[in-house]
Amino acid sequence: MGNLRAGWAAGLALAAGSGLALGAQAQHQAAIEPGAWQIVVLANQARAAQGARPLKWDASLGEAARQHCLRMAQEGPIAHRYGGEADLGERAGAAGAHFSLIEENVAIGPTPAAIHDEWMHSEGHRTNLLNPQVDRVGVALVASRGVLYAVADYAAGVPVLTAEQVEARIGALVRVSGVVVRRDPAAARAACAMDRGMPVAESGPQPMFVMRWQDTNLDQLPKKLVNQLGSGQYREAAVGSCPAQYVEGAFTVYRIAALLY
């Protein structure tokens, strides 16, 4: 599961920098505030120089950044969290972002280019900006008190899947072991919604092994489950998905239950 990491709060950015024209590549970003998009372009240039993939604009992250940036401009001194404010993961989740890891840079400075330059010369900010694990970004700028307040939220995006899609992915991994996956997920879904134990079955055998887990990664099964499947003790499995319990810093996680018979 991903870990939330907030970047260091920077002081006034004094380095001057020239503006960057948006150009043809940014024409489709017309709805994004030009100064915010300038910071994205500069970040992607820096990432390209380090061999990291470019960041894609995420409107939900942009909204989360905007709300926090407005709060920073209201407060004056910059910070990643103020009294009564939700933490970064909760803010981004409430705005609709889906991620396994999220980071944040904040700053004040005279221009977008100066803010980018300040982040590139600060170890914590630079690490966030160049992190090869993140692939999405939302940036907000608010002019106040003669300076620009800036927030950049970086995240590793997670696809939004239905329960049926989650079950299909996990079921395919289970079948690799030779165990047949039952078509009806009802029992596994009921078990998924419980912290422990099994719901009382109206009929039929009870599972010999039950496992519940949460993860952002649906490309592999937990090692404990893999070992059970490889033991040769089981012929059938049921797979069910249900709403995940909140995990700090990982807004989009999937909760799954596997029953082995």
Coordinates of all heavy atoms in Angstrom, one line a residue, residues 102-195:
I102 N 0.6 9.7 -2.4 CA 0.4 11.2 -2.6 C 1.4 12.0 -1.9 O 1.8 11.6 -0.8 CB -1.0 11.6 -2.3 CG1 -1.3 13.0 -2.8 CG2 -1.3 11.5 -0.8 CD1 -2.8 13.4 -2.8
E103 N 1.9 13.0 -2.5 CA 2.9 13.9 -2.0 C 2.5 15.4 -2.3 O 1.7 15.6 -3.1 CB 4.3 13.7 -2.7 CG 4.7 12.3 -2.6 CD 6.0 12.0 -3.5 OE1 6.2 12.8 -4.4 OE2 6.7 11.0 -3.2
E104 N 3.1 16.3 -1.5 CA 2.7 17.7 -1.7 C 3.9 18.6 -1.5 O 4.7 18.4 -0.6 CB 1.6 18.1 -0.7 CG 1.1 19.5 -0.8 CD -0.1 19.7 0.1 OE1 0.2 20.0 1.3 OE2 -1.2 19.6 -0.3
N105 N 3.9 19.6 -2.4 CA 4.9 20.7 -2.3 C 4.1 22.0 -2.1 O 3.1 22.2 -2.7 CB 5.8 20.9 -3.5 CG 6.9 19.9 -3.6 OD1 7.1 19.1 -2.6 ND2 7.6 19.8 -4.7
V106 N 4.5 22.9 -1.2 CA 3.9 24.2 -1.0 C 5.0 25.2 -1.0 O 6.2 24.9 -0.7 CB 3.1 24.3 0.3 CG1 2.0 23.3 0.3 CG2 4.0 24.1 1.5
A107 N 4.7 26.5 -1.4 CA 5.7 27.5 -1.4 C 5.0 28.9 -1.6 O 3.8 28.9 -1.9 CB 6.6 27.3 -2.6
I108 N 5.7 29.9 -1.4 CA 5.3 31.3 -1.9 C 6.5 31.8 -2.7 O 7.6 31.5 -2.4 CB 5.0 32.2 -0.7 CG1 6.1 32.3 0.3 CG2 3.7 31.8 0.0 CD1 5.8 33.3 1.4
G109 N 6.2 32.6 -3.7 CA 7.2 33.2 -4.5 C 6.7 34.2 -5.5 O 5.5 34.4 -5.6
P110 N 7.5 34.9 -6.2 CA 7.1 36.0 -7.1 C 6.5 35.5 -8.4 O 5.7 36.2 -9.0 CB 8.4 36.8 -7.3 CG 9.5 35.8 -7.1 CD 9.0 34.9 -6.1
T111 N 7.0 34.4 -8.9 CA 6.5 33.9 -10.2 C 6.5 32.4 -10.2 O 7.1 31.7 -9.4 CB 7.5 34.3 -11.3 OG1 8.8 33.6 -11.1 CG2 7.7 35.8 -11.4
P112 N 5.7 31.8 -11.1 CA 5.7 30.3 -11.2 C 7.1 29.7 -11.4 O 7.5 28.7 -10.8 CB 4.8 30.0 -12.4 CG 3.9 31.2 -12.5 CD 4.7 32.4 -12.1
A113 N 7.9 30.4 -12.3 CA 9.3 29.9 -12.6 C 10.1 29.9 -11.3 O 10.9 29.0 -11.0 CB 9.9 30.7 -13.7
A114 N 10.0 31.0 -10.5 CA 10.7 31.1 -9.3 C 10.4 30.0 -8.3 O 11.2 29.5 -7.5 CB 10.6 32.5 -8.7
I115 N 9.1 29.7 -8.2 CA 8.6 28.7 -7.3 C 9.2 27.3 -7.7 O 9.7 26.6 -6.9 CB 7.1 28.7 -7.3 CG1 6.6 29.9 -6.6 CG2 6.5 27.4 -6.6 CD1 5.1 30.2 -6.7
H116 N 9.1 27.0 -9.0 CA 9.7 25.8 -9.5 C 11.2 25.7 -9.2 O 11.7 24.7 -8.7 CB 9.5 25.7 -11.0 CG 10.3 24.6 -11.6 ND1 9.9 23.2 -11.6 CD2 11.5 24.5 -12.3 CE1 10.8 22.5 -12.2 NE2 11.7 23.2 -12.6
D117 N 11.9 26.8 -9.4 CA 13.3 26.9 -9.1 C 13.6 26.7 -7.6 O 14.6 25.9 -7.2 CB 13.9 28.2 -9.5 CG 15.4 28.3 -9.4 OD1 16.1 27.6 -10.1 OD2 15.9 29.1 -8.5
E118 N 12.8 27.2 -6.7 CA 12.9 27.0 -5.3 C 12.7 25.5 -4.9 O 13.5 25.0 -4.2 CB 11.9 27.9 -4.5 CG 11.9 27.7 -3.0 CD 13.1 28.2 -2.3 OE1 13.8 29.0 -3.0 OE2 13.3 27.8 -1.2
W119 N 11.7 24.9 -5.5 CA 11.5 23.5 -5.3 C 12.7 22.6 -5.8 O 13.1 21.7 -5.1 CB 10.2 23.0 -5.9 CG 9.0 23.5 -5.2 CD1 8.9 24.0 -3.9 CD2 7.6 23.6 -5.7 NE1 7.6 24.3 -3.6 CE2 6.8 24.1 -4.7 CE3 7.1 23.3 -6.9 CZ2 5.4 24.3 -4.8 CZ3 5.7 23.5 -7.1 CH2 4.9 24.0 -6.1
M120 N 13.2 23.0 -6.9 CA 14.3 22.2 -7.5 C 15.6 22.3 -6.6 O 16.5 21.5 -6.7 CB 14.6 22.6 -8.9 CG 13.5 22.1 -9.9 SD 13.4 20.3 -10.0 CE 15.0 19.9 -10.8
H121 N 15.7 23.4 -5.8 CA 16.9 23.6 -5.0 C 16.6 23.3 -3.5 O 17.4 23.6 -2.6 CB 17.4 25.1 -5.1 CG 18.0 25.3 -6.4 ND1 17.3 25.7 -7.6 CD2 19.4 25.3 -6.8 CE1 18.2 25.8 -8.6 NE2 19.4 25.6 -8.1
S122 N 15.5 22.6 -3.3 CA 15.2 22.1 -1.9 C 15.1 20.6 -2.0 O 14.3 20.0 -2.8 CB 13.9 22.7 -1.4 OG 13.4 22.0 -0.3
E123 N 15.9 19.9 -1.2 CA 16.0 18.4 -1.3 C 14.6 17.7 -1.2 O 14.3 16.9 -2.0 CB 16.9 17.9 -0.3 CG 17.1 16.3 -0.4 CD 18.1 15.8 0.7 OE1 18.6 16.6 1.5 OE2 18.3 14.6 0.8
G124 N 13.8 18.1 -0.2 CA 12.5 17.4 -0.1 C 11.6 17.7 -1.2 O 10.9 16.8 -1.7
H125 N 11.5 18.9 -1.6 CA 10.6 19.3 -2.7 C 11.1 18.6 -4.0 O 10.3 18.2 -4.8 CB 10.6 20.8 -2.9 CG 9.9 21.5 -1.8 ND1 10.5 22.1 -0.8 CD2 8.6 21.7 -1.6 CE1 9.7 22.7 0.0 NE2 8.5 22.4 -0.4
R126 N 12.4 18.7 -4.3 CA 12.9 18.1 -5.5 C 12.6 16.6 -5.6 O 12.3 16.0 -6.6 CB 14.5 18.3 -5.6 CG 15.1 17.7 -6.8 CD 16.7 17.9 -6.7 NE 17.3 17.2 -7.8 CZ 17.6 17.8 -9.0 NH1 17.3 19.1 -9.2 NH2 18.2 17.2 -9.9
T127 N 12.8 15.9 -4.4 CA 12.5 14.5 -4.4 C 11.0 14.2 -4.7 O 10.7 13.3 -5.5 CB 12.8 13.9 -3.0 OG1 14.2 14.1 -2.7 CG2 12.4 12.4 -2.9
N128 N 10.1 15.0 -4.2 CA 8.7 14.9 -4.5 C 8.4 15.1 -6.0 O 7.7 14.3 -6.7 CB 7.8 15.8 -3.7 CG 7.7 15.4 -2.3 OD1 8.0 14.3 -1.9 ND2 7.2 16.4 -1.5
L129 N 9.0 16.2 -6.5 CA 8.7 16.6 -7.9 C 9.3 15.5 -8.9 O 8.7 15.3 -10.0 CB 9.4 17.9 -8.1 CG 9.0 18.7 -9.4 CD1 9.2 20.2 -9.1 CD2 9.9 18.3 -10.6
L130 N 10.4 14.9 -8.6 CA 11.1 14.0 -9.5 C 10.7 12.5 -9.2 O 11.2 11.7 -10.0 CB 12.6 14.2 -9.5 CG 13.1 15.6 -9.9 CD1 14.6 15.6 -9.8 CD2 12.7 15.9 -11.3
N131 N 9.9 12.3 -8.3 CA 9.6 10.9 -7.8 C 9.1 10.1 -9.0 O 8.1 10.4 -9.6 CB 8.6 10.9 -6.7 CG 8.4 9.5 -6.2 OD1 8.8 8.5 -6.7 ND2 7.6 9.5 -5.1
P132 N 9.8 9.0 -9.5 CA 9.4 8.3 -10.6 C 8.1 7.5 -10.4 O 7.5 7.0 -11.3 CB 10.6 7.3 -10.9 CG 11.3 7.2 -9.6 CD 11.1 8.5 -8.9
Q133 N 7.7 7.3 -9.1 CA 6.5 6.6 -8.8 C 5.2 7.4 -9.1 O 4.2 6.8 -9.3 CB 6.5 6.2 -7.3 CG 7.6 5.1 -7.0 CD 7.5 4.7 -5.5 OE1 8.0 5.4 -4.6 NE2 6.8 3.6 -5.3
V134 N 5.3 8.7 -9.0 CA 4.1 9.5 -9.3 C 3.9 9.7 -10.7 O 4.8 9.8 -11.5 CB 4.1 10.8 -8.5 CG1 4.2 10.6 -7.0 CG2 5.2 11.7 -8.9
D135 N 2.6 9.8 -11.1 CA 2.3 10.1 -12.6 C 1.2 11.1 -12.8 O 0.9 11.4 -14.0 CB 1.9 8.7 -13.3 CG 0.7 8.1 -12.6 OD1 0.1 8.7 -11.7 OD2 0.4 6.9 -13.0
R136 N 0.7 11.7 -11.7 CA -0.4 12.7 -11.9 C -0.1 13.9 -11.0 O 0.6 13.8 -10.0 CB -1.7 12.1 -11.5 CG -2.1 10.9 -12.3 CD -3.5 10.3 -12.0 NE -3.7 9.1 -12.7 CZ -4.8 8.4 -12.6 NH1 -5.8 8.8 -11.8 NH2 -5.0 7.3 -13.3
V137 N -0.6 15.0 -11.4 CA -0.4 16.2 -10.6 C -1.5 17.2 -10.7 O -2.3 17.2 -11.7 CB 0.9 16.9 -11.2 CG1 0.7 17.5 -12.6 CG2 1.4 18.1 -10.3
G138 N -1.7 18.0 -9.7 CA -2.6 19.1 -9.7 C -1.9 20.3 -9.0 O -1.3 20.1 -8.0
V139 N -2.0 21.4 -9.6 CA -1.3 22.6 -9.1 C -2.3 23.8 -9.0 O -3.2 24.0 -9.8 CB -0.1 23.0 -10.1 CG1 0.6 24.3 -9.5 CG2 0.8 21.9 -10.2
A140 N -2.1 24.6 -7.9 CA -2.9 25.8 -7.7 C -2.0 26.9 -7.3 O -1.0 26.8 -6.6 CB -4.0 25.5 -6.7
L141 N -2.4 28.1 -7.8 CA -1.7 29.3 -7.5 C -2.7 30.4 -7.1 O -3.8 30.5 -7.7 CB -0.9 29.9 -8.7 CG 0.3 29.1 -9.2 CD1 0.9 29.8 -10.5 CD2 1.4 29.0 -8.2
V142 N -2.4 31.1 -6.0 CA -3.3 32.2 -5.5 C -2.4 33.4 -5.2 O -1.5 33.3 -4.5 CB -4.1 31.7 -4.2 CG1 -4.9 32.9 -3.7 CG2 -5.0 30.6 -4.5
A143 N -2.8 34.5 -5.9 CA -2.1 35.7 -5.6 C -2.6 36.5 -4.4 O -3.8 36.7 -4.3 CB -2.2 36.7 -6.8
S144 N -1.7 36.8 -3.4 CA -2.2 37.4 -2.2 C -0.9 38.0 -1.5 O 0.2 37.5 -1.6 CB -2.8 36.4 -1.3 OG -3.3 37.1 -0.1
R145 N -1.1 39.2 -0.9 CA 0.0 39.8 -0.2 C 1.2 40.1 -1.0 O 2.3 40.1 -0.6 CB 0.4 39.0 1.0 CG -0.7 38.8 2.1 CD -0.2 37.9 3.2 NE -1.2 37.9 4.3 CZ -2.2 37.0 4.4 NH1 -2.3 36.1 3.4 NH2 -3.0 37.0 5.4
G146 N 1.0 40.3 -2.3 CA 2.1 40.7 -3.2 C 2.9 39.5 -3.7 O 3.9 39.7 -4.3
V147 N 2.5 38.3 -3.4 CA 3.2 37.1 -3.8 C 2.3 36.0 -4.3 O 1.0 36.2 -4.2 CB 4.1 36.5 -2.6 CG1 5.2 37.4 -2.2 CG2 3.2 36.1 -1.5
L148 N 2.8 35.0 -4.8 CA 2.0 33.8 -5.2 C 2.1 32.7 -4.2 O 3.2 32.3 -3.8 CB 2.4 33.3 -6.6 CG 2.2 34.2 -7.8 CD1 2.9 33.5 -9.1 CD2 0.7 34.4 -8.1
Y149 N 1.0 32.2 -3.8 CA 0.9 31.0 -2.9 C 0.8 29.8 -3.9 O -0.1 29.9 -4.8 CB -0.2 31.1 -1.9 CG 0.0 32.0 -0.8 CD1 -0.1 33.4 -1.0 CD2 0.4 31.6 0.5 CE1 0.1 34.3 0.1 CE2 0.6 32.4 1.5 CZ 0.5 33.8 1.3 OH 0.7 34.7 2.4
A150 N 1.5 28.8 -3.7 CA 1.5 27.7 -4.6 C 1.4 26.3 -3.8 O 2.0 26.1 -2.8 CB 2.8 27.6 -5.4
V151 N 0.6 25.4 -4.4 CA 0.5 24.1 -3.9 C 0.5 23.1 -5.1 O -0.1 23.4 -6.2 CB -0.9 23.8 -3.2 CG1 -1.0 22.4 -2.8 CG2 -1.0 24.7 -2.0
A152 N 1.3 22.1 -5.0 CA 1.4 21.1 -6.1 C 1.2 19.7 -5.4 O 1.9 19.4 -4.4 CB 2.8 21.1 -6.8
D153 N 0.2 19.0 -5.8 CA -0.1 17.7 -5.3 C 0.2 16.6 -6.3 O -0.3 16.7 -7.4 CB -1.6 17.5 -4.9 CG -1.9 18.3 -3.6 OD1 -1.0 18.7 -2.9 OD2 -3.1 18.6 -3.4
Y154 N 1.2 15.7 -6.0 CA 1.6 14.7 -6.9 C 1.1 13.3 -6.4 O 1.1 13.1 -5.2 CB 3.1 14.6 -6.9 CG 3.8 15.9 -7.1 CD1 4.3 16.6 -6.0 CD2 4.1 16.5 -8.4 CE1 5.0 17.8 -6.1 CE2 4.7 17.7 -8.5 CZ 5.2 18.4 -7.4 OH 5.8 19.6 -7.5
A155 N 0.7 12.5 -7.3 CA 0.1 11.2 -6.9 C 0.4 10.1 -7.9 O 0.7 10.3 -9.1 CB -1.4 11.3 -6.7
A156 N 0.4 8.9 -7.4 CA 0.4 7.7 -8.2 C -1.0 7.3 -8.4 O -1.7 6.8 -7.4 CB 1.3 6.6 -7.6
G157 N -1.5 7.4 -9.6 CA -2.9 7.2 -9.8 C -3.3 5.7 -9.8 O -2.5 4.8 -10.1
V158 N -4.5 5.4 -9.4 CA -5.1 4.1 -9.3 C -6.3 4.0 -10.1 O -7.2 4.9 -10.0 CB -5.4 3.7 -7.8 CG1 -6.1 2.4 -7.7 CG2 -4.1 3.7 -7.0
P159 N -6.5 3.0 -10.9 CA -7.8 2.9 -11.7 C -9.0 2.7 -10.8 O -8.8 2.1 -9.7 CB -7.5 1.7 -12.6 CG -6.5 0.9 -11.9 CD -5.6 1.9 -11.2
V160 N -10.1 3.2 -11.2 CA -11.3 3.0 -10.4 C -12.1 1.8 -11.0 O -12.5 1.8 -12.1 CB -12.2 4.3 -10.5 CG1 -13.5 4.1 -9.7 CG2 -11.4 5.5 -10.0
L161 N -12.2 0.7 -10.2 CA -12.8 -0.5 -10.7 C -14.0 -0.9 -9.9 O -14.1 -0.6 -8.7 CB -11.8 -1.7 -10.6 CG -10.4 -1.5 -11.3 CD1 -9.5 -2.7 -11.0 CD2 -10.6 -1.3 -12.8
T162 N -15.0 -1.5 -10.6 CA -16.2 -2.0 -9.9 C -15.8 -3.3 -9.1 O -14.8 -3.9 -9.4 CB -17.3 -2.3 -10.9 OG1 -16.9 -3.4 -11.7 CG2 -17.6 -1.1 -11.8
A163 N -16.7 -3.7 -8.2 CA -16.5 -4.9 -7.5 C -16.4 -6.1 -8.5 O -15.5 -7.0 -8.3 CB -17.7 -5.2 -6.6
E164 N -17.2 -6.1 -9.5 CA -17.1 -7.2 -10.5 C -15.7 -7.2 -11.2 O -15.2 -8.3 -11.5 CB -18.2 -7.0 -11.6 CG -19.6 -7.3 -11.0 CD -20.2 -6.1 -10.2 OE1 -19.5 -5.0 -10.2 OE2 -21.3 -6.3 -9.6
Q165 N -15.2 -6.0 -11.5 CA -13.9 -6.0 -12.2 C -12.8 -6.5 -11.3 O -11.9 -7.1 -11.7 CB -13.6 -4.6 -12.7 CG -14.5 -4.1 -13.8 CD -14.4 -2.7 -14.2 OE1 -14.3 -1.8 -13.3 NE2 -14.3 -2.3 -15.4
V166 N -12.9 -6.1 -10.0 CA -11.9 -6.5 -9.0 C -11.9 -8.0 -8.9 O -10.9 -8.7 -8.9 CB -12.1 -5.9 -7.6 CG1 -11.2 -6.5 -6.6 CG2 -11.9 -4.4 -7.7
E167 N -13.1 -8.6 -8.8 CA -13.3 -10.0 -8.6 C -12.8 -10.8 -9.8 O -12.2 -11.8 -9.7 CB -14.8 -10.3 -8.4 CG -15.2 -9.9 -7.0 CD -16.7 -9.7 -6.9 OE1 -17.5 -10.0 -7.9 OE2 -17.2 -9.3 -5.8
A168 N -13.0 -10.2 -11.0 CA -12.5 -10.8 -12.2 C -11.0 -10.9 -12.3 O -10.4 -11.9 -12.7 CB -13.0 -10.1 -13.5
R169 N -10.3 -9.8 -11.8 CA -8.9 -9.8 -11.8 C -8.3 -10.8 -10.9 O -7.4 -11.5 -11.2 CB -8.4 -8.4 -11.5 CG -8.5 -7.4 -12.6 CD -7.6 -6.2 -12.4 NE -7.8 -5.2 -13.4 CZ -7.0 -4.1 -13.5 NH1 -6.0 -3.9 -12.6 NH2 -7.2 -3.2 -14.5
I170 N -8.9 -10.8 -9.6 CA -8.3 -11.7 -8.6 C -8.7 -13.2 -9.0 O -7.9 -14.1 -8.8 CB -8.9 -11.4 -7.2 CG1 -8.5 -10.0 -6.8 CG2 -8.5 -12.4 -6.2 CD1 -7.0 -9.8 -6.8
G171 N -9.9 -13.4 -9.6 CA -10.3 -14.7 -10.0 C -9.3 -15.3 -11.0 O -9.0 -16.5 -11.0
A172 N -8.9 -14.4 -11.9 CA -8.0 -14.9 -13.0 C -6.6 -15.4 -12.4 O -6.0 -16.3 -12.8 CB -7.7 -13.8 -14.0
L173 N -6.2 -14.7 -11.3 CA -4.9 -15.0 -10.7 C -5.1 -16.4 -9.9 O -4.2 -17.2 -9.8 CB -4.5 -13.9 -9.7 CG -4.1 -12.6 -10.3 CD1 -3.8 -11.6 -9.3 CD2 -3.0 -12.7 -11.3
V174 N -6.3 -16.5 -9.3 CA -6.6 -17.8 -8.6 C -6.6 -19.0 -9.5 O -6.1 -20.1 -9.2 CB -7.9 -17.7 -7.8 CG1 -8.3 -19.0 -7.2 CG2 -7.8 -16.6 -6.7
R175 N -7.2 -18.8 -10.7 CA -7.3 -19.9 -11.6 C -5.9 -20.4 -12.1 O -5.8 -21.6 -12.5 CB -8.1 -19.5 -12.9 CG -9.6 -19.3 -12.5 CD -10.4 -19.0 -13.8 NE -11.8 -18.7 -13.5 CZ -12.2 -17.4 -13.3 NH1 -11.4 -16.4 -13.5 NH2 -13.5 -17.2 -13.0
V176 N -4.9 -19.6 -12.1 CA -3.6 -20.0 -12.5 C -3.1 -21.2 -11.7 O -2.4 -22.1 -12.2 CB -2.6 -18.8 -12.4 CG1 -1.2 -19.3 -12.6 CG2 -2.9 -17.7 -13.3
S177 N -3.6 -21.3 -10.4 CA -3.2 -22.4 -9.6 C -3.9 -23.7 -9.9 O -3.6 -24.7 -9.3 CB -3.4 -22.0 -8.1 OG -4.8 -21.9 -7.9
G178 N -4.9 -23.6 -10.8 CA -5.7 -24.8 -11.1 C -7.0 -24.9 -10.2 O -7.8 -25.9 -10.4
V179 N -7.2 -24.0 -9.3 CA -8.4 -24.0 -8.5 C -9.6 -23.3 -9.3 O -9.4 -22.3 -9.9 CB -8.2 -23.3 -7.2 CG1 -9.5 -23.1 -6.4 CG2 -7.1 -24.0 -6.4
V180 N -10.7 -24.0 -9.3 CA -11.9 -23.4 -10.0 C -12.5 -22.3 -9.1 O -12.7 -22.5 -7.9 CB -12.9 -24.5 -10.2 CG1 -14.2 -24.0 -10.8 CG2 -12.4 -25.6 -11.1
V181 N -12.9 -21.2 -9.8 CA -13.5 -20.1 -9.1 C -15.0 -20.1 -9.3 O -15.5 -20.2 -10.4 CB -12.9 -18.7 -9.6 CG1 -13.7 -17.6 -8.9 CG2 -11.4 -18.6 -9.4
R182 N -15.7 -20.1 -8.2 CA -17.2 -20.2 -8.3 C -17.7 -18.9 -8.9 O -17.2 -17.8 -8.8 CB -17.8 -20.4 -6.9 CG -17.4 -21.7 -6.2 CD -18.1 -21.8 -4.8 NE -17.9 -23.1 -4.3 CZ -18.5 -23.5 -3.1 NH1 -19.2 -22.7 -2.4 NH2 -18.2 -24.7 -2.7
R183 N -18.8 -19.1 -9.7 CA -19.5 -18.0 -10.3 C -20.2 -17.0 -9.4 O -20.2 -15.8 -9.6 CB -20.5 -18.5 -11.4 CG -19.8 -19.2 -12.6 CD -20.8 -19.6 -13.6 NE -20.2 -20.2 -14.8 CZ -20.9 -20.5 -15.9 NH1 -22.2 -20.4 -15.9 NH2 -20.3 -21.1 -16.9
D184 N -20.7 -17.6 -8.3 CA -21.5 -16.8 -7.4 C -20.6 -16.2 -6.3 O -20.0 -16.9 -5.5 CB -22.6 -17.6 -6.7 CG -23.5 -16.8 -5.8 OD1 -23.3 -15.6 -5.7 OD2 -24.4 -17.4 -5.2
P185 N -20.4 -14.9 -6.3 CA -19.5 -14.3 -5.3 C -20.2 -13.9 -4.0 O -19.5 -13.3 -3.1 CB -19.0 -13.0 -6.0 CG -20.2 -12.6 -6.8 CD -20.9 -13.9 -7.2
A186 N -21.4 -14.3 -3.8 CA -22.2 -13.8 -2.6 C -21.6 -14.1 -1.3 O -21.4 -13.2 -0.4 CB -23.6 -14.3 -2.7
A187 N -21.1 -15.4 -1.1 CA -20.5 -15.8 0.2 C -19.2 -15.0 0.4 O -19.0 -14.6 1.5 CB -20.3 -17.3 0.2
A188 N -18.4 -14.8 -0.6 CA -17.2 -14.1 -0.5 C -17.4 -12.6 -0.2 O -16.7 -12.0 0.6 CB -16.3 -14.3 -1.7
R189 N -18.4 -12.1 -0.8 CA -18.7 -10.7 -0.6 C -19.2 -10.5 0.9 O -18.8 -9.5 1.5 CB -19.8 -10.2 -1.6 CG -19.3 -10.0 -3.0 CD -20.4 -9.5 -3.9 NE -19.9 -9.3 -5.3 CZ -20.6 -8.9 -6.3 NH1 -21.9 -8.6 -6.1 NH2 -20.1 -8.7 -7.5
A190 N -20.0 -11.4 1.4 CA -20.4 -11.3 2.7 C -19.3 -11.4 3.7 O -19.2 -10.7 4.7 CB -21.5 -12.4 3.0
A191 N -18.3 -12.3 3.4 CA -17.2 -12.5 4.3 C -16.3 -11.3 4.2 O -15.7 -10.9 5.2 CB -16.4 -13.7 3.8
C192 N -16.2 -10.7 3.0 CA -15.4 -9.5 2.8 C -15.8 -8.3 3.7 O -15.0 -7.6 4.2 CB -15.4 -9.1 1.3 SG -14.5 -7.6 0.9
A193 N -17.1 -8.2 3.9 CA -17.6 -7.1 4.7 C -17.5 -7.3 6.2 O -17.7 -6.4 7.0 CB -19.1 -6.9 4.4
M194 N -17.0 -8.5 6.6 CA -16.8 -8.8 8.0 C -15.3 -8.7 8.4 O -14.4 -8.9 7.5 CB -17.3 -10.2 8.3 CG -18.7 -10.5 8.0 SD -19.2 -12.2 8.2 CE -18.9 -12.5 9.9
D195 N -15.0 -8.4 9.6 CA -13.6 -8.3 10.1 C -13.0 -9.6 10.3 O -11.8 -9.8 10.2 CB -13.5 -7.5 11.4 CG -13.8 -6.0 11.1 OD1 -13.5 -5.5 10.0 OD2 -14.3 -5.3 12.0

